[in-house]
Amino acid sequence: HGRGERGGPPGYDSTDWQTRMMREAAYYKILDDEKIVGGAIIFDKGSDHIYLGRIYIDPDYQNRRIGAEAMRLIEACYPAARRWTLETPQWALRNQHFYERQGYIKVGEQWLEGEDHGDVLYEKLLSSE
């Protein structure tokens, strides 16, 4: 995860957190030859707005275009969505590069209270055609 530290974002190793996300959001598994290599958590915010809460790929499967294909398939699952938003840590430069390659535009930053970093806010607007 991210800075090469052992572990991952808050909740990644918590059964309770994962179970709650499965109840509150659409939770997708990402497969490569029937093996789970990642996942995505999607929140439908209504009024054609989808929030990408998290997408992740096992480090052993990164740089194979799996994430890009997953993003394309996830977006296709929500054809009425016109606005996609997400946030990623300021220090996660690879994430930022990835999202920008997927057509997301940086729209702002926010500082996280009690954290040693802030987040970069991204948005992708899709036409209704």
Side-chain angles (χ1 to χ4, degrees):
H1 163 69
R3 300 184 228 187
E5 300 165 347
R6 185 171 174 85
Y12 90 99
D13 61 351
S14 163
T15 302
D16 290 341
W17 187 89
Q18 295 292 340
T19 301
R20 185 168 50 98
M21 288 301 102
M22 288 177 196
R23 285 190 198 111
E24 294 177 6
Y27 200 124
Y28 294 90
K29 60 185 173 184
I30 299 172
L31 301 172
D32 181 53
D33 284 335
E34 303 303 315
K35 179 179 181 190
I36 297 175
V37 298
I41 302 171
I42 309 295
F43 294 89
D44 187 340
K45 299 299 219 173
S47 297
D48 74 3
H49 176 201
I50 301 293
Y51 174 73
L52 176 63
R54 185 167 293 167
I55 185 169
Y56 52 93
I57 304 294
D58 181 311
D60 291 339
Y61 288 82
Q62 291 177 0
N63 300 312
R64 298 184 188 181
R65 304 226 15 98
I66 294 171
E69 181 66 6
M71 291 288 284
R72 187 187 68 74
L73 292 170
I74 290 166
E75 289 176 359
C77 288
Y78 299 89
R82 299 293 166 245
R83 179 175 178 237
W84 285 79
T85 58
L86 62 89
E87 54 199 58
T88 193
Q90 291 172 331
W91 51 261
L93 300 179
R94 286 187 59 178
N95 290 3
Q96 294 172 43
H97 179 71
F98 171 77
Y99 293 128
E100 290 167 9
R101 281 195 340 240
Q102 308 316 307
Y104 287 78
I105 306 295
K106 180 180 173 181
V107 294
E109 294 184 4
Q110 66 182 9
W111 188 256
L112 302 175
E113 190 173 326
E115 297 287 335
D116 64 350
H117 69 278
D119 280 342
V120 179
L121 309 175
Y122 279 95
E123 179 177 71
K124 182 176 183 177
L125 299 176
L126 303 175
S127 68
S128 58
E129 297 175 20

